[in-house]
Amino acid sequence: MKKFLKVALAIIAVILFIWTFVFLFQKSQPKEVTYATESATRGDIEQTTVATGKIEPRDEIAIKPQISGIIAELYKEEGQTVKAGEIIAKVKVIPEMSSLNAAQSRVRLAEISLKQAKTDFARMESLRDQKLVSAEDYEKAEVALRQAEEEKLAADDNLDIVKEGISKNNASLSSTFIRSTITGLVLDVPVKVGNSVIMSNTFNDGTTIATVADMTDLIFKGKIDETEVGRIHEGMPVKITLGALQDVSLDAKLEFISPKGEEDNGANKFEIKAALTAPDSITLRSGYSANATIVLKAVKDVVRIPESVIEFSGDTSFVHILTDTVPTQKFERKQVELGMSDGINIEVKSGVAEGDKLRKSEIK
């Protein structure tokens, strides 16, 4: 029994020795490393800058009343189209007491003057029939009567205007009807029936009855950083992307760069404007947030590689090109001449051909 136990222990010791030897041998063998690769492709590379802003109509007009009063009627609301000269609202005049009293007094004086002129003219007619006055005196009396009649009409019209904002003789030109000055879309009607409104004058801008804009002529209005403004110019093509329409990209042309910068969150920025070209199938709304991408520089149809495959040594750049995969990956380190970069891909002028597989730094 003791002999059997000794043999068993010896066998176990031999097995442990062999396992330890195999384990250490395998541990000492170098591991096979497999690198991820990227292919060199052919395409375009662009250096761009992005300006943030929004879509606005080129012409957006605030319609204001020519008289003060109260909104009596509204004929248009947001979203409706309006033509130039079309009525948007009607204002009821609330007369000022001092102006009303003055207008009434003018009417009374005109009535007195007219009555006296009629009496004088009738007397002149009687004297003329008797050939007791000259033709000149008769004509003067006739002129005085006509003047008194005109003054009475003017006084009546003035009283009507003070009381109602309209006169009988010029009803079609009444300032109580607020008309659109342009053809376009009503963007906003900030007043309601019963609201008081005031006309614009030296001391205030007046009450806005409605905002009307030509939505067929839209622009992008945004700001660009001072580090990029020196690289752009009027006439450059612009791509507009909208926050509200994710899959829509619109063409535009840069038409204005502000000559003066403004501080915005600690950065000096310049205002830019670009004219939009939008198909009829797309409905654009004023105030849409948008980004304008401006191509600063571009190269077409070049060999390009990801910047992540480049190894930099001083002023020299290298890549590792895959030459074999059997039995293991083999790479050739090769110097390359680089060109333009867009921050992700970079142009390769020499050293790499289209389709070459290049080693990335990470391991699979």
Side-chain angles (χ1 to χ4, degrees):
M1 186 68 181
K2 290 182 179 180
K3 185 177 180 181
F4 174 78
L5 184 59
K6 290 181 179 179
V7 172
L9 291 173
I11 293 172
I12 292 172
V14 171
I15 292 173
L16 287 173
F17 176 78
I18 294 173
W19 179 84
T20 303
F21 178 79
V22 172
F23 175 78
L24 294 175
F25 177 78
Q26 292 178 343
K27 193 77 172 178
S28 64
Q29 296 300 308
K31 290 184 178 180
E32 181 180 340
V33 178
T34 303
Y35 289 93
T37 60
E38 290 278 0
S39 296
T41 59
R42 183 171 290 276
D44 303 335
I45 293 181
E46 297 178 339
Q47 288 184 351
T48 62
T49 185
V50 176
T52 59
K54 60 183 179 179
I55 303 300
E56 294 182 357
R58 186 185 300 278
D59 296 317
E60 184 173 321
I61 306 299
I63 308 299
K64 299 178 183 292
Q66 296 177 332
I67 58 172
S68 300
I70 293 175
I71 298 293
E73 294 182 61
L74 286 172
Y75 302 104
K76 294 291 181 179
E77 59 184 23
E78 293 91 338
Q80 293 184 324
T81 57
V82 64
K83 294 181 179 179
E86 191 172 354
I87 298 173
I88 295 177
K90 181 180 179 181
V91 174
K92 179 182 178 181
V93 175
I94 304 299
E96 183 184 3
M97 293 309 299
S98 60
S99 299
L100 180 61
N101 288 335
Q104 291 173 336
S105 176
R106 181 180 174 184
V107 170
R108 289 191 295 268
L109 290 173
E111 289 175 345
I112 294 171
S113 298
L114 178 59
K115 184 177 180 180
Q116 183 63 45
K118 286 180 178 180
T119 301
D120 293 343
F121 183 70
R123 186 182 299 115
M124 281 295 179
E125 279 190 316
S126 175
L127 293 173
R128 186 195 64 173
D129 292 342
Q130 298 177 36
K131 298 183 179 180
L132 298 176
V133 295
S134 65
E136 182 181 359
D137 291 337
Y138 174 79
E139 290 172 357
K140 288 181 179 179
E142 186 178 21
V143 169
L145 176 60
R146 299 289 180 266
Q147 290 176 338
E149 289 174 342
E150 285 298 322
E151 173 58 24
K152 177 60 169 61
L153 289 175
D156 288 340
D157 282 347
N158 182 63
L159 180 60
D160 289 339
I161 291 172
V162 171
K163 292 171 63 177
E164 305 292 339
I166 182 173
S167 68
K168 297 181 179 64
N169 294 329
N170 298 299
S172 61
L173 303 176
S174 171
S175 57
T176 60
F177 291 108
I178 313 304
R179 303 173 186 271
S180 176
T181 56
I182 64 169
T183 298
L185 186 73
V186 179
L187 299 182
D188 185 28
V189 181
V191 296
K192 296 181 180 179
V193 172
N195 284 162
S196 296
V197 296
I198 58 175
M199 62 184 293
S200 59
N201 53 44
T202 307
F203 304 101
N204 61 69
D205 294 332
T207 306
T208 298
I209 301 295
T211 303
V212 181
D214 180 5
M215 295 301 289
T216 62
D217 187 9
L218 298 173
I219 63 171
F220 166 84
K221 185 177 180 180
K223 293 183 178 180
I224 190 170
D225 191 86
E226 66 177 338
T227 58
E228 304 288 358
V229 73
R231 304 176 66 186
I232 63 175
H233 57 81
E234 287 86 351
M236 293 182 74
V238 180
K239 282 290 183 183
I240 306 295
T241 54
L242 306 173
L245 304 173
Q246 296 293 333
D247 299 327
V248 174
S249 178
L250 304 176
D251 293 324
K253 181 177 286 188
L254 191 62
E255 63 178 20
F256 172 78
I257 305 170
S258 174
K260 180 181 178 181
E262 295 181 357
E263 187 173 343
D264 185 6
N265 294 325
N268 197 30
K269 294 190 175 183
F270 291 77
E271 184 180 77
I272 63 171
K273 295 178 183 178
L276 288 179
T277 303
D280 296 335
S281 59
I282 298 176
T283 300
L284 298 178
R285 302 182 187 277
S286 178
Y288 270 168
S289 61
N291 290 329
T293 302
I294 306 172
V295 178
L296 303 175
K297 190 177 180 182
V299 289
K300 304 292 185 180
D301 194 31
V302 297
V303 176
R304 59 186 184 181
I305 61 175
E307 289 193 358
S308 59
V309 303
I310 301 172
E311 175 189 330
F312 294 98
S313 178
D315 296 332
T316 309
S317 304
F318 298 90
V319 295
H320 295 264
I321 301 175
L322 182 66
T323 58
D324 199 354
T325 57
V326 179
T328 59
Q329 288 181 324
K330 294 181 180 179
F331 294 92
E332 177 186 358
R333 186 171 184 260
K334 196 169 184 180
Q335 183 177 343
V336 291
E337 182 184 358
L338 303 176
M340 184 186 299
S341 170
D342 61 9
I344 299 174
N345 294 315
I346 190 167
E347 174 193 3
V348 180
K349 295 183 177 180
S350 64
V352 174
E354 181 183 359
D356 283 349
K357 294 186 178 299
L358 310 171
R359 190 183 79 183
K360 297 178 68 175
S361 58
E362 67 265 22
I363 300 172
K364 283 186 178 179

